[in-house]
Amino acid sequence: MAVSGFEGFEKRLELRFFNDDKNKNPMGLRLIDFESLDQVLTQVQCTVVSAVANHSFDAYVLSESSLFVYPTKIIIKTCGTTQLLKSIRPFINLARSLNLTLRACRYSRGSFIFPTAQPFPYNTAFKDEVTIVEDSLPKSLRYRKASVMTPSNNPSRAWHVFTASADVEPDERDVVVVEVCMTELDRVNAMSFFRRKGDEKNSDSAGKEMTRLSGVDTINENAFICDFAFDPCGYSMNGVDGERYSTIHVTPEDGFSYASFECGLSLYDDGHGDIAEVLSRAIDVFRPSCVSIATTYGGEDYDHEVTKRVERVLAKKLGLKCRSRLMDEFPGSGTVVYQSFTPRRR
């Protein structure tokens, strides 16, 4: 393990809003102008490097990860030493200017590879981050809970979650969000995310080449991929498929290699988004030695069989054994299942 390097593990924030008059403002948060978004990102310490949109949402690749803007939902995740929590108040204020009020907030992250390199409050205890989030939220979000889900087999790879909601019942009942964190990537696979010496392609063209060579384009062949290659190495992409989003971020350097995959799926998706198969294809791109999967079920639709199927498929196709499975419930924000995997040989 390197003494210091780029922090791949992201901080993730999701804000969901009420829109009481969709007839007057069906675009909702998508009406926020780019200059205003850029000002928020400046406070977070990142910038937009590429973007794409469809009829459902706007997707931005950032210099440090991704931003998604739906009519009533914002998802932003940032890696490195970014100050993600500084975006909460500005986003709430921008939404208020469009007559949207905050309905729910979810903040989550894994355990940093280089925790002491993080700025305050991310370099102390999770409770300090929670305090800042809570101080940024209106009192109307009264159903609140913080949890650190710590696997017994690897306590250094905990999953940190804070949620707050105005309602005790979740508002996205059929939505499943899957967040995958992968470390110790296969060295051969990781080489796909390095720029070649003498390569004069721009970041967009090099990104498309990385997408093709690595097999990222096989994860969801229905998605339009907006990809970006960093120099001399590193990769980010956002996938757009109807209302569904997906995103991948890769730090390929040996010693602190990391990749993340995230997607939003529906449990009632015609088999279009079989969670286990999607995860198998995504993880196979990187062949990591350590995998953690946090699955958030938006309502009462948590299905233990889905969790078990993920474990069976990853064992059969990739030789990964589930070493830990934790579950926690969050009022108004659904159920989180956190699984940890390593190869069977370990």
Side-chain angles (χ1 to χ4, degrees):
M1 178 67 71
V3 174
S4 183
F6 185 80
E7 180 59 67
F9 274 89
E10 300 97 346
K11 314 167 183 90
R12 181 187 188 276
L13 177 70
E14 179 174 327
L15 300 172
R16 301 196 302 279
F17 296 84
F18 292 105
N19 185 355
D20 294 329
D21 197 345
K22 293 182 180 179
N23 293 326
K24 282 188 176 181
N25 181 13
M27 292 291 286
L29 298 165
R30 300 180 71 185
L31 291 180
I32 298 174
D33 61 89
F34 180 79
E35 183 179 354
S36 296
L37 286 177
D38 191 48
Q39 289 174 356
V40 177
L41 296 175
T42 297
Q43 293 185 55
V44 176
Q45 299 173 2
C46 60
T47 58
V48 173
V49 297
S50 190
V52 68
N54 68 1
H55 65 281
S56 297
F57 65 98
D58 306 317
Y60 301 89
V61 176
L62 306 179
S63 55
E64 280 84 6
S65 301
S66 290
L67 166 68
F68 300 95
V69 181
Y70 287 78
T72 59
K73 177 170 64 179
I74 289 174
I75 300 169
I76 178 171
K77 60 189 301 180
T78 61
C79 54
T81 56
T82 47
Q83 294 271 13
L84 178 65
L85 299 184
K86 288 187 176 181
S87 68
I88 298 177
R89 291 180 189 271
F91 277 139
I92 293 174
N93 290 335
L94 288 170
R96 187 178 296 125
S97 71
L98 297 169
N99 296 317
L100 277 73
T101 54
L102 189 64
R103 180 173 193 160
C105 167
R106 179 186 292 118
Y107 171 60
S108 60
R109 66 168 177 84
S111 296
F112 299 121
I113 299 173
F114 307 110
T116 59
Q118 290 291 316
F120 181 83
Y122 315 99
N123 60 357
T124 52
F126 185 57
K127 65 180 181 180
D128 294 324
E129 295 161 72
V130 170
T131 296
I132 288 179
V133 178
E134 291 202 283
D135 288 347
S136 304
L137 299 177
K139 294 181 179 178
S140 57
L141 272 64
R142 60 187 183 276
Y143 299 101
R144 304 183 179 196
K145 180 175 178 178
S147 177
V148 179
M149 305 173 73
T150 306
S152 57
N153 68 305
N154 191 357
S156 65
R157 283 289 165 258
W159 190 247
H160 306 70
V161 187
F162 169 78
T163 66
S165 176
D167 302 309
V168 72
E169 295 295 331
D171 58 302
E172 292 190 318
R173 304 185 65 82
D174 64 339
V175 174
V176 177
V177 174
V178 186
E179 299 169 73
V180 184
C181 300
M182 297 167 273
T183 55
E184 301 175 49
L185 311 183
D186 179 271
R187 292 183 181 183
V188 174
N189 293 41
M191 290 303 297
S192 298
F193 302 100
F194 282 83
R195 301 282 290 265
R196 293 196 300 270
K197 288 184 179 180
D199 181 5
E200 296 183 357
K201 294 185 178 71
N202 62 30
S203 293
D204 294 320
S205 297
K208 285 178 172 51
E209 184 176 61
M210 289 182 182
T211 296
R212 178 177 56 82
L213 292 176
S214 65
V216 165
D217 57 349
T218 67
I219 298 171
N220 177 5
E221 295 180 350
N222 296 309
F224 177 84
I225 294 177
C226 179
D227 34 26
F228 191 89
F230 295 90
D231 192 12
C233 64
Y235 168 88
S236 287
M237 84 80 165
N238 289 333
V240 175
D241 178 15
E243 294 183 352
R244 308 172 191 86
Y245 74 94
S246 59
T247 185
I248 289 175
H249 304 284
V250 186
T251 302
E253 293 99 322
D254 193 32
F256 52 95
S257 61
Y258 171 84
S260 66
F261 170 74
E262 176 180 334
C263 64
L265 299 170
S266 171
L267 288 177
Y268 313 106
D269 237 357
D270 306 336
H272 181 115
D274 182 307
I275 295 174
E277 295 296 335
V278 170
L279 293 183
S280 176
R281 292 194 293 270
I283 295 169
D284 193 40
V285 168
F286 304 100
R287 289 280 171 170
S289 290
C290 294
V291 180
S292 62
I293 302 175
T295 307
T296 302
Y297 294 82
E300 297 176 356
D301 294 305
Y302 167 61
D303 187 343
H304 183 66
E305 180 51 37
V306 173
T307 300
K308 296 294 291 183
R309 173 165 165 72
V310 168
E311 294 173 6
R312 289 195 301 270
V313 170
L314 295 189
K316 180 179 179 180
K317 293 194 172 185
L318 303 180
L320 292 170
K321 180 176 176 59
C322 183
R323 308 291 182 175
S324 172
R325 185 196 315 125
L326 304 171
M327 185 178 75
D328 206 347
E329 296 181 355
F330 296 82
S333 298
T335 300
V336 175
V337 178
Y338 183 55
Q339 298 158 281
S340 300
F341 298 81
T342 60
R344 279 178 168 170
R345 65 182 179 273
R346 291 195 167 191

